[in-house]
Amino acid sequence: MKRLLGMTSGLLLFTATACTPAPSVSLSARAGNSQALTSPEAPSLTDADGLDATLQEARIVLRDIELDLPADANCEALQTDGEAVVCSGEKIQINGPFVVDLLTGASSPSLEKVKVPAGTYSRIDFRVDDAEEEDGLLAEDDPLFDRSFYAVANTEVDGESVELEVALQFNEDIRVEQEGGIDVGEDAQ
């Protein structure tokens, strides 16, 4: 499942930041000694004016994930755990909510043990939703609490380090589909 999330994390990041109008948007900038990620994997973004920013953090809340079954599959033939992964009708649903780190693919609770049966799925749907108190996933002081998406990036303006922060509150379905379907190999996680 981690590989599946990795395939779509870029799409989720793009979609989450591109959703307009957002019911609640919070933007802030702080100057000072912000620590940037030094990992070579830290994504950099460049705007139209050539300003570079290094993404430090990007998290999203997924309420659930649904995969439309391959044409030759049915629920009776699939092995699901019946709790976290449920097969019903023509869909597999992975019940959340989950907080997904879009930079690492890690999630809370972990999706590492979730197995998706191999096949060519016609589409995958992600339900983005606000983190709610009853979910018990985040502390009230977490910047993602009561929001759907949170990201932090560092940049330099006039020789001074600036931290950019984006917090969005929205509920949206993100559909991923491609011609010929989405291949999920054996033991996909």
Side-chain angles (χ1 to χ4, degrees):
M1 190 64 206
K2 188 174 181 180
R3 190 170 25 180
L4 183 62
L5 286 173
M7 288 180 358
T8 58
S9 65
L11 176 64
L12 288 171
L13 179 59
F14 172 78
T15 305
T17 58
C19 285
T20 55
S24 171
V25 177
S26 170
L27 299 171
S28 68
R30 291 188 293 261
N33 291 332
S34 298
Q35 292 182 335
L37 290 177
T38 56
S39 165
E41 299 167 8
S44 288
L45 312 166
T46 304
D47 73 5
D49 296 327
L51 182 67
D52 291 321
T54 301
L55 197 57
Q56 285 189 304
E57 179 179 356
R59 294 181 297 150
I60 196 164
V61 179
L62 298 178
R63 184 66 43 199
D64 58 51
I65 303 166
E66 289 185 352
L67 299 92
D68 282 15
L69 288 175
D72 59 345
N74 60 52
C75 287
E76 291 76 34
L78 299 177
Q79 301 233 339
T80 61
D81 69 10
E83 192 171 312
V85 180
V86 177
C87 190
S88 176
E90 298 177 355
K91 294 181 184 283
I92 293 176
Q93 181 169 340
I94 302 168
N95 296 314
F98 308 100
V99 174
V100 179
D101 183 322
L102 296 176
L103 298 181
T104 66
S107 66
S108 175
S110 176
L111 288 166
E112 284 189 17
K113 296 192 190 257
V114 173
K115 302 282 188 213
V116 175
T120 302
Y121 293 84
S122 59
R123 72 177 193 227
I124 302 173
D125 295 322
F126 298 88
R127 175 70 183 163
V128 179
D129 203 355
D130 304 331
E132 299 172 353
E133 184 175 356
E134 56 267 14
D135 297 336
L137 294 175
L138 301 167
E140 284 188 38
D141 62 346
D142 189 300
L144 186 57
F145 185 79
D146 200 32
R147 294 193 170 69
S148 312
F149 176 79
Y150 177 75
V152 177
N154 277 351
T155 191
E156 195 170 296
V157 177
D158 297 329
E160 189 163 348
S161 180
V162 176
E163 183 177 85
L164 307 170
E165 183 178 43
V166 177
L168 302 175
Q169 185 180 42
F170 65 96
N171 300 312
E172 192 66 45
D173 289 320
I174 298 172
R175 177 163 290 162
V176 179
E177 43 188 353
Q178 64 186 28
E179 191 174 321
I182 301 163
D183 288 324
V184 175
E186 292 293 326
D187 299 323
Q189 296 182 343

